[in-house]
Amino acid sequence: MRAVLVGPPGAGKGTQAQILAEELSIPKVSTGDIFRANVSGGTELGKKAKEFMDRGDLVPDEVTNAMVKDRLAQSDAVEGFLLDGFPRNVPQAETLRTILADLDTSLDVVLELKVDEEEVVRRLSGRRSCPECGRVYHVEYDAPKEPGKCDNEGAELYQREDDREETIRHRLEVYREQTAPLVEFYTGEGLLATISATGPVAEVTARAKAAIDEKKRSAA
Ligand code: AP5
């Protein structure tokens, strides 16, 4: 399965990607997670990405596309992957099509997660993440067993730099202007499936799995 998750910041892409990737036994490839790991590791890539991420802007395509190309060429992604946060605009989608064509393959499904903007602000302002395993929590909706600590690692949870309300509003604008056109692009490619991402996490997962299965059946 080669799948992409598309949706505004806070739609639950990371949350669903983690669950679905485990269930489908494919790697989750999150460009946001790769950038954040590079920022905290102080790499050249991290230095290039940080100022864009802190503002809530997209990292330039040449940086992002090269990183994704390398990641998808790794052996664990040969049989499939779940992309979370890439592509983020039409030029990135065209690059992805070329990267996959060079590997003699193509996407199976693009799953759009829909959620309204006020819910996004509520979700992101309460988000906490584990620096060790990357698991994402919410202080109210998906709280860890012990406040502030990861259930898996016991590590201290942190709040992302770009989860301040002003930056969240800017990320939503960037989504509307640059990422939302992907819905039309992938509808045209016959790959889009749309679900509501509102409601409990398990219900959204069930909708996502049903939509993926339906897409697989209609392609067979
Ligand atoms: P990225 O990390 O991809 O951020 P994003 O797309 O803004 O998405 P988020 O991670 O904020 O939200 P999500 O949809 O994953 O939601 P989550 O599951 O965490 O990118 C960050 C930055 O990196 C970008 O701004 C850009 O600078 C750069 N970047 C990344 N990719 C790029 C690219 N391709 N090109 C250029 N630049 C790029 O959930 C959010 C919260 O809600 C959590 O607290 C969670 O517990 C909670 N939650 C989840 N589901 C539910 C539910 N059903 N009900 C209630 N709460 C829920």
Side-chain angles (χ1 to χ4, degrees):
M1 165 67 54
R2 292 174 184 83
V4 166
L5 292 185
V6 173
K13 301 181 298 296
T15 302
Q16 295 300 329
Q18 179 105 8
I19 300 168
L20 292 169
E22 265 175 42
E23 294 200 5
L24 297 166
S25 301
I26 50 177
K28 162 186 134 159
V29 175
S30 159
T31 41
D33 287 352
I34 302 174
F35 282 135
R36 277 184 291 279
N38 278 277
V39 170
S40 54
T43 67
E44 278 310 306
L45 177 63
K47 285 179 198 151
K48 280 187 200 153
K50 188 174 182 333
E51 61 171 301
F52 297 96
M53 296 176 78
D54 286 351
R55 284 202 304 265
D57 283 325
L58 296 188
V59 177
D61 285 353
E62 64 272 19
V63 176
T64 309
N65 289 340
M67 180 178 92
V68 171
K69 187 171 183 195
D70 283 353
R71 179 63 189 88
L72 294 185
Q74 287 172 20
S75 56
D76 67 332
V78 169
E79 297 301 323
F81 51 78
L82 185 53
L83 274 166
D84 156 25
F86 184 92
R88 216 62 169 219
N89 56 29
V90 170
Q92 289 185 6
E94 285 163 345
T95 300
L96 178 61
R97 194 167 50 192
T98 307
I99 292 171
L100 295 179
D102 288 347
L103 295 169
D104 225 4
T105 187
S106 58
L107 285 176
D108 299 305
V109 60
V110 175
L111 190 64
E112 182 199 10
L113 304 185
K114 275 193 107 105
V115 64
D116 76 56
E117 294 199 353
E118 288 316 309
E119 175 68 5
V120 161
V121 176
R122 270 194 297 278
R123 286 185 184 184
L124 293 185
S125 46
R127 171 165 57 189
R128 302 290 181 273
S129 310
C130 175
E132 307 274 324
C133 69
R135 186 167 161 195
V136 173
Y137 297 87
H138 189 280
V139 290
E140 274 176 59
Y141 304 141
D142 186 15
K145 293 190 184 100
E146 193 184 335
K149 298 242 190 289
C150 180
D151 293 352
N152 299 333
E153 322 278 328
E156 200 77 34
L157 302 178
Y158 74 97
Q159 186 165 21
R160 273 171 46 175
E161 297 269 342
D162 58 352
D163 278 349
R164 289 177 298 124
E165 182 161 347
E166 198 184 286
T167 315
I168 295 170
R169 301 262 176 215
H170 180 63
R171 286 161 61 203
L172 282 166
E173 264 171 46
V174 170
Y175 180 79
R176 280 195 296 272
E177 284 167 18
Q178 301 191 45
T179 309
L182 288 178
V183 168
E184 200 183 324
F185 178 89
Y186 282 124
T187 301
E189 301 257 301
L191 290 171
L192 194 82
T194 300
I195 60 163
S196 160
T198 306
V201 170
E203 278 181 21
V204 179
T205 306
R207 276 178 224 139
K209 284 180 6 194
I212 290 171
D213 287 346
E214 174 58 31
K215 205 77 197 159
K216 273 203 268 188
R217 262 197 306 276
S218 63

